[in-house]
């Protein structure tokens, strides 16, 4: 069993900052790509940023230069530093990870339960 637990969602003012964290635990042999997605009310879930185990990153155009994804492989944790927040960044932020199970030796995608980010004055 694998679990992803996000934290850090909150209410922030436009121009403010938040830092999201997501820790993976359970029957993990290794973790490949980790990432953040978000879903705004009435919209489909969209990619925010991803990071490979080697540290290569990818960002949605809408967050480039404002958000930074990072990870601590020793802690199986991924972070999302969000600066210069805009109202359109509002949504539920989900963590994802491509994980090799310790027992089955099969890679699968896992998702967290989501953390709410609201950007409003």
């Amino acid at each position: 069993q694998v679990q992803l637990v996000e934290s850090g969602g909150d209410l922030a003012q436009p121009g403010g900052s938040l830092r999201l964290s997501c820790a993976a635990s359970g029957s993990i042999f290794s973790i490949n790509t980790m990432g953040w997605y978000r879903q705004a009310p009435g919209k489909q879930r969209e990619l925010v940023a991803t990071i490979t185990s080697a540290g290569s990153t990818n960002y949605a155009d809408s967050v480039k230069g404002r958000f930074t994804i990072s990870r601590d492989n020793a802690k199986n944790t991924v972070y999302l530093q969000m600066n210069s927040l805009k109202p359109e960044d509002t949504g539920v932020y989900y963590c994802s990870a491509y994980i090799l199970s310790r027992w089955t030796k099969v890679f699968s995608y896992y998702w967290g339960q989501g953390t709410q980010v609201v950007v409003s004055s």
Side-chain angles (χ1 to χ4, degrees):
Q1 193 78 347
V2 173
Q3 284 188 317
L4 299 182
V5 179
E6 301 110 328
S7 61
D10 205 344
L11 171 66
Q13 291 192 341
S17 298
L18 287 174
R19 188 188 194 216
L20 307 183
S21 299
C22 172
S25 62
S27 304
I28 298 170
F29 185 80
S30 66
I31 303 178
N32 195 326
T33 299
M34 303 184 82
W36 290 95
Y37 293 73
R38 68 186 179 189
Q39 187 166 17
K43 295 188 176 181
Q44 288 189 329
R45 191 175 298 188
E46 63 176 1
L47 168 74
V48 176
T50 61
I51 183 167
T52 69
S53 56
S56 296
T57 58
N58 179 54
Y59 295 93
D61 288 343
S62 59
V63 306
K64 282 180 181 177
R66 300 187 299 121
F67 291 9
T68 302
I69 189 171
S70 61
R71 64 191 280 176
D72 184 332
N73 291 329
K75 295 181 179 180
N76 290 337
T77 299
V78 63
Y79 306 95
L80 185 68
Q81 177 66 43
M82 305 187 294
N83 299 328
S84 302
L85 284 163
K86 303 176 181 180
E88 51 264 42
D89 294 320
T90 294
V92 179
Y93 282 69
Y94 297 92
C95 169
S96 76
Y98 195 46
I99 295 174
L100 181 63
S101 166
R102 178 184 303 165
W103 308 123
T104 66
K105 295 299 189 292
V106 173
F107 270 105
S108 299
Y109 280 103
Y110 293 88
W111 293 87
Q113 81 288 352
T115 185
Q116 179 74 53
V117 171
V118 177
V119 183
S120 175
S121 54

